C-alpha cells in the first residue's frame, strides 16, 4: 500500500514555459514566412543603398522558402483583391497610336511621336517631329472642360486650390488625384505609368496637369537592372526617358498636358536638384506641341532671387506661402500656383 504521506515526483516547472516559448517562436516564424515576400518587397522599396541591401539579405531567404511552399498565396490573393500588386520597373504602355494595326501604328506613324520599341519604352531622349498644337474646345456650363490634376504631395494643396478655382469658372470640371510620397523614380511604390494608362484609356479627360519631382531625387533602376544615384549621367538619362515617356503617353487625342515645375526650395542643395529636374521637364516639353511647361520658380522667389516662406501676394499683402518644412506649399501658396496654372489653361481653351 502506498504511503499517502510520501510526496510524489516534483513537477518539471520549466516544461510549460518552454512549450509556451516554443509556440510563440513557431507562430512568429509562421507569420514571417506568410508575409516574407511582402517584407522583401518593403525592403526593395527602400532608397537604394546599404540599409536596403542589408534588409534584402535578411528577408530574401524567408521569401524564397515562402514561395517554395506556396505560403505566400493567401497574402497574394488578398493583395490582388485589394489592388495592391506592385511593379518593380517603370514600364510604359505603348502610347496611343503606337500599336501595330492601329491608326498611327507601325503602318502609319503619328506625327510628333517617336515609335517605341518593346513595351512602349521610349528612346533615352526622343525628339518628336513638329505637329499642330492641340486645340481645346471652348467649354460651356452644360459641357465643361474635363481636367485631371495630380502627382506627388506637392500637388495636394495646389490641387485643392485649383479645384476650387475651376468650380468658380463654371465651365471646368476638375478631378484631383494626389498620391503622397510617389514620383517617377520608384514605380514599386506607385505605378504611375499604369495609372496614367488607365486614365488615358478611359477617354474621360481632355487636359492633364501633372507635377512630379519632390520625391524623385533618389536612386533609380534602369530596365536592365542598373542602379544610378542622382548626379550620375545614367540617372539623368533614365529619368529623362521616364519624363518623355509619360508625356508621350498622355498626349494624343487632342489632349493638352500642363507639366508643372517645382518651386525654389529652402535648402540650396535641394533647390539645385529641383532646378535640374525642371530643366528636363522644360526641354522635353519643348519637343512636344501637346505639352506646356508651367514654371513656378519665379512665383516663389524673393526679389533678390532667394527663398522666403513669406511673400507679397497679388493683392499686395505679405502672406505665408510655404510650409515650415521648406518644401511644400500652404494655402496661399497653393492659391498662387493654381492661379498661374488656371491662367495658362484659360488661354488655351479661350475662357475669359
Amino acid at each position: 500500500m502506498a504511503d499517502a504521506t510520501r510526496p510524489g515526483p516534483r513537477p518539471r516547472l520549466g516544461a510549460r514555459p518552454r512549450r509556451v516559448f516554443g509556440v510563440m517562436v513557431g507562430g512568429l516564424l509562421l507569420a514571417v514566412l506568410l508575409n516574407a515576400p511582402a517584407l522583401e518587397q518593403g525592403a526593395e522599396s527602400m532608397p537604394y543603398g546599404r540599409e536596403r541591401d542589408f534588409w534584402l539579405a535578411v528577408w530574401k531567404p524567408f521569401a524564397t522558402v515562402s514561395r517554395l511552399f506556396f505560403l505566400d498565396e493567401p497574402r497574394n490573393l488578398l493583395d490582388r483583391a485589394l489592388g495592391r500588386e506592385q511593379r518593380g520597373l517603370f514600364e510604359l504602355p505603348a502610347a496611343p497610336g503606337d500599336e501595330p494595326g492601329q491608326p498611327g501604328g507601325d503602318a502609319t506613324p503619328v506625327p510628333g511621336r517617336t515609335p517605341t520599341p518593346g513595351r512602349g519604352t521610349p528612346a533615352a531622349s526622343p525628339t518628336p517631329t513638329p505637329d499642330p498644337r492641340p486645340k481645346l474646345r471652348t467649354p460651356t456650363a452644360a459641357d465643361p472642360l474635363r481636367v485631371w490634376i495630380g502627382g506627388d504631395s506637392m500637388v495636394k494643396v495646389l490641387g485643392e486650390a485649383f479645384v476650387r478655382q475651376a468650380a468658380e469658372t463654371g465651365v471646368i470640371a476638375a478631378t484631383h488625384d494626389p498620391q503622397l510620397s510617389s514620383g517617377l523614380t520608384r514605380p514599386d511604390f506607385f505605378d504611375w505609368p499604369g495609372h496614367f494608362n488607365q486614365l488615358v484609356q478611359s477617354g474621360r479627360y481632355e487636359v492633364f496637369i501633372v507635377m512630379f519631382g519632390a520625391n524623385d531625387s533618389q536612386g533609380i533602376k534602369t530596365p536592365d537592372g542598373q542602379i544610378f544615384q542622382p548626379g550620375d549621367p545614367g540617372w539623368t538619362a533614365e529619368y529623362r526617358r521616364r519624363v518623355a515617356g509619360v508625356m508621350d503617353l498622355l498626349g494624343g487625342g487632342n489632349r493638352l498636358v500642363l507639366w508643372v515645375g517645382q518651386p525654389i526650395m529652402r535648402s540650396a542643395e535641394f533647390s539645385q536638384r529641383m532646378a535640374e529636374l525642371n530643366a528636363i521637364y522644360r526641354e522635353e516639353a519643348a519637343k512636344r506641341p501637346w505639352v506646356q511647361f508651367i514654371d513656378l520658380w519665379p512665383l516663389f522667389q524673393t526679389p533678390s532671387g532667394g527663398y522666403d516662406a513669406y511673400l507679397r501676394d497679388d493683392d499686395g499683402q505679405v502672406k505665408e506661402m510655404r510650409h515650415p518644412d521648406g518644401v511644400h506649399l500652404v494655402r496661399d501658396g497653393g492659391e498662387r500656383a493654381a492661379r498661374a496654372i488656371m491662367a495658362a489653361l484659360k488661354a488655351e481653351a479661350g475662357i475669359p
Side-chain angles (χ1 to χ4, degrees), residues 298-322:
L299 292 180
F300 294 97
Q301 278 183 309
T302 64
S304 62
Y307 171 92
D308 197 325
Y310 293 83
L311 298 171
R312 194 172 301 279
D313 206 357
D314 298 342
D315 59 5
Q317 300 295 315
V318 174
K319 299 176 182 177
E320 185 180 17
M321 300 283 180
R322 307 299 289 272

PDB file of all heavy atoms in Angstrom, residues 298-322:
ATOM      1  N   PRO A 298       9.693  81.396 -60.523  1.00  0.00           N
ATOM      2  CA  PRO A 298       9.666  82.851 -60.301  1.00  0.00           C
ATOM      3  C   PRO A 298       8.578  83.293 -59.324  1.00  0.00           C
ATOM      4  O   PRO A 298       8.717  84.335 -58.669  1.00  0.00           O
ATOM      5  CB  PRO A 298       9.397  83.418 -61.705  1.00  0.00           C
ATOM      6  CG  PRO A 298       9.782  82.332 -62.646  1.00  0.00           C
ATOM      7  CD  PRO A 298       9.466  81.059 -61.930  1.00  0.00           C
ATOM      8  N   LEU A 299       7.500  82.513 -59.207  1.00  0.00           N
ATOM      9  CA  LEU A 299       6.395  82.889 -58.326  1.00  0.00           C
ATOM     10  C   LEU A 299       6.763  82.833 -56.855  1.00  0.00           C
ATOM     11  O   LEU A 299       6.122  83.481 -56.022  1.00  0.00           O
ATOM     12  CB  LEU A 299       5.192  81.981 -58.567  1.00  0.00           C
ATOM     13  CG  LEU A 299       4.471  82.089 -59.907  1.00  0.00           C
ATOM     14  CD1 LEU A 299       3.310  81.111 -59.950  1.00  0.00           C
ATOM     15  CD2 LEU A 299       3.981  83.507 -60.141  1.00  0.00           C
ATOM     16  N   PHE A 300       7.780  82.031 -56.519  1.00  0.00           N
ATOM     17  CA  PHE A 300       8.105  81.813 -55.112  1.00  0.00           C
ATOM     18  C   PHE A 300       9.520  82.263 -54.762  1.00  0.00           C
ATOM     19  O   PHE A 300      10.070  81.851 -53.748  1.00  0.00           O
ATOM     20  CB  PHE A 300       7.878  80.336 -54.765  1.00  0.00           C
ATOM     21  CG  PHE A 300       6.442  79.940 -54.851  1.00  0.00           C
ATOM     22  CD1 PHE A 300       5.930  79.330 -55.991  1.00  0.00           C
ATOM     23  CD2 PHE A 300       5.564  80.222 -53.819  1.00  0.00           C
ATOM     24  CE1 PHE A 300       4.592  78.989 -56.091  1.00  0.00           C
ATOM     25  CE2 PHE A 300       4.213  79.888 -53.903  1.00  0.00           C
ATOM     26  CZ  PHE A 300       3.726  79.281 -55.046  1.00  0.00           C
ATOM     27  N   GLN A 301      10.100  83.126 -55.593  1.00  0.00           N
ATOM     28  CA  GLN A 301      11.389  83.736 -55.301  1.00  0.00           C
ATOM     29  C   GLN A 301      11.185  85.113 -54.665  1.00  0.00           C
ATOM     30  O   GLN A 301      10.199  85.801 -54.934  1.00  0.00           O
ATOM     31  CB  GLN A 301      12.200  83.914 -56.585  1.00  0.00           C
ATOM     32  CG  GLN A 301      12.940  82.690 -57.064  1.00  0.00           C
ATOM     33  CD  GLN A 301      13.770  83.009 -58.292  1.00  0.00           C
ATOM     34  OE1 GLN A 301      13.275  83.580 -59.263  1.00  0.00           O
ATOM     35  NE2 GLN A 301      15.028  82.649 -58.259  1.00  0.00           N
ATOM     36  N   THR A 302      12.140  85.502 -53.876  1.00  0.00           N
ATOM     37  CA  THR A 302      12.173  86.870 -53.384  1.00  0.00           C
ATOM     38  C   THR A 302      12.677  87.776 -54.504  1.00  0.00           C
ATOM     39  O   THR A 302      13.213  87.291 -55.518  1.00  0.00           O
ATOM     40  CB  THR A 302      13.114  86.982 -52.176  1.00  0.00           C
ATOM     41  OG1 THR A 302      14.459  86.669 -52.608  1.00  0.00           O
ATOM     42  CG2 THR A 302      12.712  86.020 -51.068  1.00  0.00           C
ATOM     43  N   PRO A 303      12.536  89.090 -54.375  1.00  0.00           N
ATOM     44  CA  PRO A 303      13.058  89.993 -55.408  1.00  0.00           C
ATOM     45  C   PRO A 303      14.548  89.792 -55.697  1.00  0.00           C
ATOM     46  O   PRO A 303      15.014  90.023 -56.814  1.00  0.00           O
ATOM     47  CB  PRO A 303      12.782  91.386 -54.831  1.00  0.00           C
ATOM     48  CG  PRO A 303      11.568  91.184 -53.971  1.00  0.00           C
ATOM     49  CD  PRO A 303      11.750  89.821 -53.365  1.00  0.00           C
ATOM     50  N   SER A 304      15.287  89.313 -54.699  1.00  0.00           N
ATOM     51  CA  SER A 304      16.720  89.071 -54.899  1.00  0.00           C
ATOM     52  C   SER A 304      17.013  87.681 -55.429  1.00  0.00           C
ATOM     53  O   SER A 304      18.165  87.311 -55.627  1.00  0.00           O
ATOM     54  CB  SER A 304      17.470  89.287 -53.582  1.00  0.00           C
ATOM     55  OG  SER A 304      17.016  88.369 -52.590  1.00  0.00           O
ATOM     56  N   GLY A 305      15.964  86.864 -55.647  1.00  0.00           N
ATOM     57  CA  GLY A 305      16.162  85.535 -56.214  1.00  0.00           C
ATOM     58  C   GLY A 305      16.321  84.429 -55.199  1.00  0.00           C
ATOM     59  O   GLY A 305      16.650  83.297 -55.570  1.00  0.00           O
ATOM     60  N   GLY A 306      16.062  84.706 -53.921  1.00  0.00           N
ATOM     61  CA  GLY A 306      16.221  83.697 -52.886  1.00  0.00           C
ATOM     62  C   GLY A 306      14.897  83.102 -52.447  1.00  0.00           C
ATOM     63  O   GLY A 306      13.842  83.330 -53.035  1.00  0.00           O
ATOM     64  N   TYR A 307      14.980  82.314 -51.372  1.00  0.00           N
ATOM     65  CA  TYR A 307      13.797  81.656 -50.811  1.00  0.00           C
ATOM     66  C   TYR A 307      13.299  82.418 -49.598  1.00  0.00           C
ATOM     67  O   TYR A 307      14.086  82.891 -48.771  1.00  0.00           O
ATOM     68  CB  TYR A 307      14.139  80.222 -50.398  1.00  0.00           C
ATOM     69  CG  TYR A 307      13.035  79.527 -49.618  1.00  0.00           C
ATOM     70  CD1 TYR A 307      12.073  78.773 -50.277  1.00  0.00           C
ATOM     71  CD2 TYR A 307      12.945  79.644 -48.228  1.00  0.00           C
ATOM     72  CE1 TYR A 307      11.042  78.145 -49.577  1.00  0.00           C
ATOM     73  CE2 TYR A 307      11.931  79.018 -47.516  1.00  0.00           C
ATOM     74  CZ  TYR A 307      10.977  78.267 -48.199  1.00  0.00           C
ATOM     75  OH  TYR A 307       9.970  77.653 -47.500  1.00  0.00           O
ATOM     76  N   ASP A 308      11.980  82.545 -49.482  1.00  0.00           N
ATOM     77  CA  ASP A 308      11.354  83.082 -48.282  1.00  0.00           C
ATOM     78  C   ASP A 308       9.962  82.489 -48.192  1.00  0.00           C
ATOM     79  O   ASP A 308       9.243  82.429 -49.195  1.00  0.00           O
ATOM     80  CB  ASP A 308      11.282  84.610 -48.325  1.00  0.00           C
ATOM     81  CG  ASP A 308      11.026  85.206 -46.943  1.00  0.00           C
ATOM     82  OD1 ASP A 308      10.287  84.580 -46.148  1.00  0.00           O
ATOM     83  OD2 ASP A 308      11.558  86.295 -46.657  1.00  0.00           O
ATOM     84  N   ALA A 309       9.590  82.032 -46.996  1.00  0.00           N
ATOM     85  CA  ALA A 309       8.263  81.451 -46.821  1.00  0.00           C
ATOM     86  C   ALA A 309       7.174  82.502 -46.917  1.00  0.00           C
ATOM     87  O   ALA A 309       6.018  82.187 -47.211  1.00  0.00           O
ATOM     88  CB  ALA A 309       8.186  80.729 -45.478  1.00  0.00           C
ATOM     89  N   TYR A 310       7.514  83.771 -46.675  1.00  0.00           N
ATOM     90  CA  TYR A 310       6.538  84.866 -46.711  1.00  0.00           C
ATOM     91  C   TYR A 310       6.831  85.763 -47.902  1.00  0.00           C
ATOM     92  O   TYR A 310       7.931  86.304 -48.045  1.00  0.00           O
ATOM     93  CB  TYR A 310       6.601  85.671 -45.414  1.00  0.00           C
ATOM     94  CG  TYR A 310       6.128  84.896 -44.205  1.00  0.00           C
ATOM     95  CD1 TYR A 310       7.000  84.036 -43.538  1.00  0.00           C
ATOM     96  CD2 TYR A 310       4.825  85.009 -43.745  1.00  0.00           C
ATOM     97  CE1 TYR A 310       6.571  83.304 -42.440  1.00  0.00           C
ATOM     98  CE2 TYR A 310       4.393  84.287 -42.629  1.00  0.00           C
ATOM     99  CZ  TYR A 310       5.270  83.441 -41.990  1.00  0.00           C
ATOM    100  OH  TYR A 310       4.833  82.715 -40.904  1.00  0.00           O
ATOM    101  N   LEU A 311       5.835  85.938 -48.762  1.00  0.00           N
ATOM    102  CA  LEU A 311       5.998  86.718 -49.977  1.00  0.00           C
ATOM    103  C   LEU A 311       4.798  87.638 -50.161  1.00  0.00           C
ATOM    104  O   LEU A 311       3.707  87.385 -49.658  1.00  0.00           O
ATOM    105  CB  LEU A 311       6.126  85.807 -51.199  1.00  0.00           C
ATOM    106  CG  LEU A 311       7.336  84.856 -51.233  1.00  0.00           C
ATOM    107  CD1 LEU A 311       7.186  83.879 -52.386  1.00  0.00           C
ATOM    108  CD2 LEU A 311       8.643  85.633 -51.355  1.00  0.00           C
ATOM    109  N   ARG A 312       5.016  88.713 -50.929  1.00  0.00           N
ATOM    110  CA  ARG A 312       3.932  89.628 -51.241  1.00  0.00           C
ATOM    111  C   ARG A 312       3.063  89.005 -52.326  1.00  0.00           C
ATOM    112  O   ARG A 312       3.536  88.666 -53.404  1.00  0.00           O
ATOM    113  CB  ARG A 312       4.488  90.970 -51.695  1.00  0.00           C
ATOM    114  CG  ARG A 312       3.444  92.093 -51.708  1.00  0.00           C
ATOM    115  CD  ARG A 312       4.102  93.438 -51.969  1.00  0.00           C
ATOM    116  NE  ARG A 312       5.098  93.752 -50.955  1.00  0.00           N
ATOM    117  CZ  ARG A 312       4.838  94.257 -49.746  1.00  0.00           C
ATOM    118  NH1 ARG A 312       3.574  94.490 -49.416  1.00  0.00           N
ATOM    119  NH2 ARG A 312       5.801  94.529 -48.894  1.00  0.00           N
ATOM    120  N   ASP A 313       1.777  88.876 -52.043  1.00  0.00           N
ATOM    121  CA  ASP A 313       0.854  88.234 -52.969  1.00  0.00           C
ATOM    122  C   ASP A 313       0.343  89.229 -54.013  1.00  0.00           C
ATOM    123  O   ASP A 313       0.686  90.416 -53.992  1.00  0.00           O
ATOM    124  CB  ASP A 313      -0.314  87.614 -52.206  1.00  0.00           C
ATOM    125  CG  ASP A 313      -0.955  86.450 -52.938  1.00  0.00           C
ATOM    126  OD1 ASP A 313      -0.526  86.152 -54.067  1.00  0.00           O
ATOM    127  OD2 ASP A 313      -1.874  85.824 -52.379  1.00  0.00           O
ATOM    128  N   ASP A 314      -0.528  88.755 -54.888  1.00  0.00           N
ATOM    129  CA  ASP A 314      -1.045  89.599 -55.965  1.00  0.00           C
ATOM    130  C   ASP A 314      -1.837  90.787 -55.435  1.00  0.00           C
ATOM    131  O   ASP A 314      -1.951  91.813 -56.125  1.00  0.00           O
ATOM    132  CB  ASP A 314      -1.938  88.772 -56.900  1.00  0.00           C
ATOM    133  CG  ASP A 314      -1.157  87.643 -57.575  1.00  0.00           C
ATOM    134  OD1 ASP A 314       0.081  87.706 -57.602  1.00  0.00           O
ATOM    135  OD2 ASP A 314      -1.801  86.692 -58.068  1.00  0.00           O
ATOM    136  N   ASP A 315      -2.399  90.665 -54.238  1.00  0.00           N
ATOM    137  CA  ASP A 315      -3.164  91.766 -53.654  1.00  0.00           C
ATOM    138  C   ASP A 315      -2.296  92.737 -52.881  1.00  0.00           C
ATOM    139  O   ASP A 315      -2.802  93.673 -52.243  1.00  0.00           O
ATOM    140  CB  ASP A 315      -4.275  91.231 -52.752  1.00  0.00           C
ATOM    141  CG  ASP A 315      -3.731  90.375 -51.596  1.00  0.00           C
ATOM    142  OD1 ASP A 315      -2.493  90.277 -51.447  1.00  0.00           O
ATOM    143  OD2 ASP A 315      -4.549  89.790 -50.853  1.00  0.00           O
ATOM    144  N   GLY A 316      -0.976  92.517 -52.905  1.00  0.00           N
ATOM    145  CA  GLY A 316      -0.057  93.421 -52.225  1.00  0.00           C
ATOM    146  C   GLY A 316       0.210  93.072 -50.782  1.00  0.00           C
ATOM    147  O   GLY A 316       1.070  93.699 -50.139  1.00  0.00           O
ATOM    148  N   GLN A 317      -0.481  92.075 -50.237  1.00  0.00           N
ATOM    149  CA  GLN A 317      -0.301  91.679 -48.845  1.00  0.00           C
ATOM    150  C   GLN A 317       0.778  90.604 -48.725  1.00  0.00           C
ATOM    151  O   GLN A 317       0.866  89.704 -49.573  1.00  0.00           O
ATOM    152  CB  GLN A 317      -1.618  91.139 -48.273  1.00  0.00           C
ATOM    153  CG  GLN A 317      -2.764  92.133 -48.301  1.00  0.00           C
ATOM    154  CD  GLN A 317      -2.509  93.334 -47.405  1.00  0.00           C
ATOM    155  OE1 GLN A 317      -2.060  93.185 -46.256  1.00  0.00           O
ATOM    156  NE2 GLN A 317      -2.776  94.511 -47.939  1.00  0.00           N
ATOM    157  N   VAL A 318       1.604  90.694 -47.675  1.00  0.00           N
ATOM    158  CA  VAL A 318       2.604  89.660 -47.418  1.00  0.00           C
ATOM    159  C   VAL A 318       1.911  88.479 -46.746  1.00  0.00           C
ATOM    160  O   VAL A 318       1.241  88.641 -45.715  1.00  0.00           O
ATOM    161  CB  VAL A 318       3.744  90.190 -46.522  1.00  0.00           C
ATOM    162  CG1 VAL A 318       4.699  89.054 -46.159  1.00  0.00           C
ATOM    163  CG2 VAL A 318       4.503  91.310 -47.227  1.00  0.00           C
ATOM    164  N   LYS A 319       2.080  87.305 -47.333  1.00  0.00           N
ATOM    165  CA  LYS A 319       1.395  86.109 -46.831  1.00  0.00           C
ATOM    166  C   LYS A 319       2.353  84.939 -46.732  1.00  0.00           C
ATOM    167  O   LYS A 319       3.354  84.886 -47.453  1.00  0.00           O
ATOM    168  CB  LYS A 319       0.238  85.734 -47.766  1.00  0.00           C
ATOM    169  CG  LYS A 319      -0.823  86.793 -47.906  1.00  0.00           C
ATOM    170  CD  LYS A 319      -1.867  86.377 -48.911  1.00  0.00           C
ATOM    171  CE  LYS A 319      -2.922  87.462 -49.098  1.00  0.00           C
ATOM    172  NZ  LYS A 319      -3.920  87.086 -50.136  1.00  0.00           N
ATOM    173  N   GLU A 320       2.020  84.010 -45.850  1.00  0.00           N
ATOM    174  CA  GLU A 320       2.810  82.784 -45.739  1.00  0.00           C
ATOM    175  C   GLU A 320       2.469  81.877 -46.919  1.00  0.00           C
ATOM    176  O   GLU A 320       1.316  81.503 -47.124  1.00  0.00           O
ATOM    177  CB  GLU A 320       2.515  82.065 -44.426  1.00  0.00           C
ATOM    178  CG  GLU A 320       3.396  80.839 -44.213  1.00  0.00           C
ATOM    179  CD  GLU A 320       3.099  80.130 -42.902  1.00  0.00           C
ATOM    180  OE1 GLU A 320       2.033  80.363 -42.318  1.00  0.00           O
ATOM    181  OE2 GLU A 320       3.957  79.319 -42.469  1.00  0.00           O
ATOM    182  N   MET A 321       3.495  81.519 -47.684  1.00  0.00           N
ATOM    183  CA  MET A 321       3.300  80.708 -48.883  1.00  0.00           C
ATOM    184  C   MET A 321       3.787  79.273 -48.721  1.00  0.00           C
ATOM    185  O   MET A 321       3.299  78.379 -49.420  1.00  0.00           O
ATOM    186  CB  MET A 321       4.051  81.339 -50.062  1.00  0.00           C
ATOM    187  CG  MET A 321       3.626  82.737 -50.403  1.00  0.00           C
ATOM    188  SD  MET A 321       2.061  82.735 -51.290  1.00  0.00           S
ATOM    189  CE  MET A 321       1.823  84.485 -51.566  1.00  0.00           C
ATOM    190  N   ARG A 322       4.774  79.055 -47.843  1.00  0.00           N
ATOM    191  CA  ARG A 322       5.422  77.753 -47.775  1.00  0.00           C
ATOM    192  C   ARG A 322       5.286  77.138 -46.394  1.00  0.00           C
ATOM    193  O   ARG A 322       5.236  77.821 -45.372  1.00  0.00           O
ATOM    194  CB  ARG A 322       6.922  77.889 -48.126  1.00  0.00           C
ATOM    195  CG  ARG A 322       7.185  78.584 -49.448  1.00  0.00           C
ATOM    196  CD  ARG A 322       6.586  77.835 -50.636  1.00  0.00           C
ATOM    197  NE  ARG A 322       7.299  76.602 -50.913  1.00  0.00           N
ATOM    198  CZ  ARG A 322       8.357  76.539 -51.700  1.00  0.00           C
ATOM    199  NH1 ARG A 322       8.849  77.620 -52.289  1.00  0.00           N
ATOM    200  NH2 ARG A 322       8.943  75.363 -51.926  1.00  0.00           N
TER     201      ARG A 322
END
